[in-house]
Amino acid sequence: MRQILVAGNWKLNGSRDSIEQLISGITAGVENTGDTQIAVCPPFVYIPLVAERLAGSKVAWGSQDISDQSAGAFTGEVAGAMLNDFNCKYAIVGHSERRSLYAEDDDFTARKFAAARKAGLIPILCVGETLQEREQGVTEAVVARQLDAVINLEGVAALGEAVIAYEPVWAIGTGKTASPQQAQDVHAFIRGKLAGLNVGVADKVQILYGGSVKGANAAELFAKADIDGGLIGGASLDAAEFLAICSAGA
Ligand code: PEP
């Protein structure tokens, strides 16, 4: 069994005070989370604060996005080397909110994936279908296309050193969780597709589920053979709820 990873995506939320409190709450309960790997992804400006407070703890941290560029005239961007300066371990790329609200397509996401790797960060590559795509029966085709963009640019072996997060868009922030079996089916498809290219990569890669995961449904999701943890939005802003999800993986 692959190790469970629970990563919190705080999105555009928090203040210095609320993040101090959230970190204190998480670190206070972290000893009950067994060997679950834990990470949090704050807004960029709070990464130094989080890095300072979590240094030496079992909780890692990462960014919610990363520039596809490494330096230069790219106003508003944050480069991988800058994230390295604050010991980020992960960088989320291709979150559905980036894809839909900021028009980041598969190729751009693949370049961000490559930029994260180049900086020594572990990309968390988000993939997933919209409700319309699910209803049209093209879930697997959409996920395959999103994965292929990365495989074509970076090679399949790169996915063995990354994390994949399957996040059905219709389940993000909506309170509608994919059933454990619906999620497992897509996770198995992803692993099977990778196994067709490289069995070692398929065995190794952690595939997280994201979409309205809570303390109450995490254990059932994580019990599935191909679900190796979760990418958590809303519930990661509440220390007790986030810890309950982390403990579900222990
Ligand atoms: C997310 O933003 O990645 C996410 C899964 O959000 P939520 O848990 O709130 O559905």
Side-chain angles (χ1 to χ4, degrees):
M1 193 181 135
R2 285 158 297 274
Q3 201 168 3
I4 294 287
L5 166 63
V6 176
N9 171 12
W10 293 348
K11 309 195 189 190
L12 185 57
N13 293 294
S15 61
R16 181 185 286 276
D17 283 352
S18 74
I19 285 177
E20 293 262 15
Q21 278 178 30
L22 186 50
I23 297 170
S24 302
I26 292 172
T27 49
V30 95
E31 73 276 8
N32 300 321
T33 58
D35 64 357
T36 301
Q37 294 177 315
I38 306 175
V40 294
C41 299
F44 283 125
V45 291
Y46 295 119
I47 288 175
L49 172 67
V50 166
E52 191 192 308
R53 296 291 189 275
L54 290 178
S57 81
K58 78 169 262 195
V59 184
W61 55 94
S63 62
Q64 299 174 18
D65 191 14
I66 182 171
S67 180
D68 64 321
Q69 302 292 328
S70 52
F74 302 99
T75 302
E77 294 291 280
V78 176
M82 298 171 181
L83 299 170
N84 263 335
D85 272 345
F86 295 93
N87 298 316
C88 285
K89 181 170 181 184
Y90 299 99
I92 298 174
V93 298
H95 191 280
S96 66
E97 288 152 15
R98 301 300 316 173
R99 291 178 188 265
S100 67
L101 302 175
Y102 300 95
E104 297 189 2
D105 63 13
D106 294 337
D107 291 339
F108 191 44
T109 298
R111 292 202 298 277
K112 289 187 171 201
F113 181 101
R117 274 173 43 79
K118 199 167 160 207
L121 299 160
I122 299 174
I124 300 179
L125 171 68
C126 299
V127 297
E129 81 289 3
T130 62
L131 183 58
Q132 196 187 24
E133 289 164 339
R134 174 160 282 264
E135 286 171 353
Q136 287 169 350
V138 295
T139 296
E140 292 184 356
V142 168
V143 170
R145 190 200 71 217
Q146 292 168 333
L147 292 171
D148 281 339
V150 169
I151 294 168
N152 291 340
L153 185 68
E154 286 286 273
V156 69
L159 282 171
E161 292 156 11
V163 173
I164 297 171
Y166 168 58
E167 299 209 304
V169 179
W170 48 273
I172 297 179
T174 58
K176 283 188 203 159
T177 319
S179 71
Q181 193 55 49
Q182 278 176 319
Q184 164 60 25
D185 288 347
V186 180
H187 283 232
F189 166 74
I190 293 171
R191 208 178 301 281
K193 174 179 166 58
L194 297 181
L197 298 169
N198 183 321
V199 174
V201 167
D203 280 348
K204 188 174 160 202
V205 67
Q206 285 170 308
I207 309 177
L208 313 185
Y209 167 77
S212 301
V213 179
K214 302 181 265 305
N217 59 21
E220 215 190 334
L221 285 159
F222 299 168
K224 291 291 181 191
D226 291 298
I227 301 183
D228 307 317
L231 181 57
I232 319 297
S236 71
L237 295 167
D238 178 320
E241 192 68 26
F242 186 61
L243 286 167
I245 296 169
C246 296
S247 306

